[in-house]
Amino acid sequence: MKRGKVIVISGPSGVGKGTVCRELMKRYPDLAATTVSVTTRAPRPGEVEGVHYYYRTNEEFDKLLAEGKFLETVDKFTHRYGTLLSEVERVLSQGKNVILEIEMIGGANVKKAIPDAVLIYLLPPSLETLLERLNGRGSETEEQIKLRNSQVEKEFDQAEPYEYFVVNDDLSVAVENVKKIIDAESLKDDFRNVKKNYFGRN
Ligand code: ADP
Ligand code: 5GP
């Protein structure tokens, strides 16, 4: 059986990453599954250990890092986040593709570590829509909107390693586009693999 791929999904906060991934897994339960990351931040109300994150102290995070347990880690907003190799392996061993819902520095590092990882950036139909989804219609001052927009634009400058840009306007269309990307990427193969598997030689 061919091993699944590592699929990174990034995008600005509120664009719909969680919604798109949940809907994708609901429609195609055998296609892909997400991983649970480690973080040093405290759980938000309603968040559950082992479901949303593994919540660890700085010292525990350091220990995991020293033991080489992470595929990638990042420091963000004074907190630390990391993808465990064991989580990636857990999903791959189920014969599924792995979805990492992580930010862009992590995405770029995953691509360095796993060159055939697939990097998808989710875009809102417009910056205004993004702000609406984040805050509810009309709740922002013009100044705040400008600031948020410039932050999203600045973050986007890091998107160079990303190869797919999916607009999350109609949810169903976005989900199906991510499905198409995963399907097409799963059909990719390496000449040497094919030769070995099909003709039995190097
Ligand atoms: P993220 O995980 O990127 O921070 P969420 O998945 O939490 O974003 O989505 C943010 C908000 O936008 C949620 O209220 C969600 O229901 C809404 N949303 C997501 N996708 C769409 C869409 N295609 N159309 C309209 N609303 C959406
Ligand atoms: P939050 O604290 O809101 O849950 O997440 C903050 C940011 O960290 C989000 O962009 C989220 O996607 C990202 N993130 C969550 N887990 C990981 C991880 O393991 N690695 C990286 N690089 N980013 C992560």
Side-chain angles (χ1 to χ4, degrees):
M1 188 176 64
K2 235 171 118 174
R3 263 167 81 83
K5 292 247 170 178
V6 174
I7 316 286
V8 172
I9 300 202
S10 303
S13 178
V15 71
K17 299 181 291 295
T19 308
V20 168
C21 292
R22 273 194 301 278
E23 183 60 23
L24 182 78
M25 291 187 289
K26 198 168 117 194
R27 287 188 194 186
Y28 307 103
D30 297 331
L31 181 75
T34 49
T35 56
V36 180
S37 288
V38 177
T39 184
T40 59
R41 79 157 166 76
R44 296 188 187 122
E47 288 187 348
V48 178
E49 162 71 19
V51 175
H52 297 93
Y53 283 103
Y54 299 111
Y55 301 92
R56 295 293 178 266
T57 62
N58 251 312
E59 293 67 36
E60 288 166 337
F61 197 99
D62 279 336
K63 186 163 181 281
L64 290 168
L65 193 59
E67 289 169 353
K69 303 277 194 202
F70 287 117
L71 168 61
E72 61 79 37
T73 63
V74 78
D75 289 11
K76 207 178 154 105
F77 314 129
T78 74
H79 300 303
R80 299 158 84 190
Y81 298 85
T83 305
L84 289 168
L85 286 162
S86 57
E87 281 286 302
V88 173
E89 203 45 52
R90 176 178 62 78
V91 176
L92 289 177
S93 70
Q94 295 167 358
K96 295 181 185 179
N97 298 286
V98 187
I99 298 183
L100 305 180
E101 214 187 295
I102 61 176
E103 53 70 62
M104 299 166 81
I105 296 167
N109 286 333
V110 168
K111 186 75 184 170
K112 277 185 211 146
I114 307 174
D116 75 345
V118 182
L119 270 48
I120 302 176
Y121 192 88
L122 211 55
L123 284 163
S126 68
L127 290 174
E128 289 73 24
T129 314
L130 178 66
L131 291 167
E132 279 168 22
R133 284 187 194 165
L134 261 179
N135 302 309
R137 210 173 282 261
S139 65
E140 299 284 289
T141 64
E142 208 169 304
E143 204 52 39
Q144 284 168 324
I145 289 175
K146 266 196 203 143
L147 183 67
R148 294 265 188 148
N149 284 0
S150 70
Q151 279 168 350
V152 172
E153 197 174 334
K154 215 157 95 194
E155 187 188 274
F156 191 76
D157 283 340
Q158 299 175 299
E160 203 180 326
Y162 285 70
E163 340 168 58
Y164 292 101
F165 296 87
V166 173
V167 178
N168 181 23
D169 189 355
D170 181 295
L171 178 64
S172 190
V173 172
V175 168
E176 292 308 317
N177 281 337
V178 172
K179 165 80 164 60
K180 284 180 202 164
I181 292 166
I182 298 177
D183 282 346
E185 287 285 342
S186 303
L187 288 171
K188 268 190 185 170
D189 210 336
D190 184 86
F191 163 74
R192 290 162 209 83
N193 273 341
V194 179
K195 205 159 64 169
K196 199 160 162 237
N197 292 337
Y198 199 79
F199 299 100
R201 64 184 177 88
N202 287 322

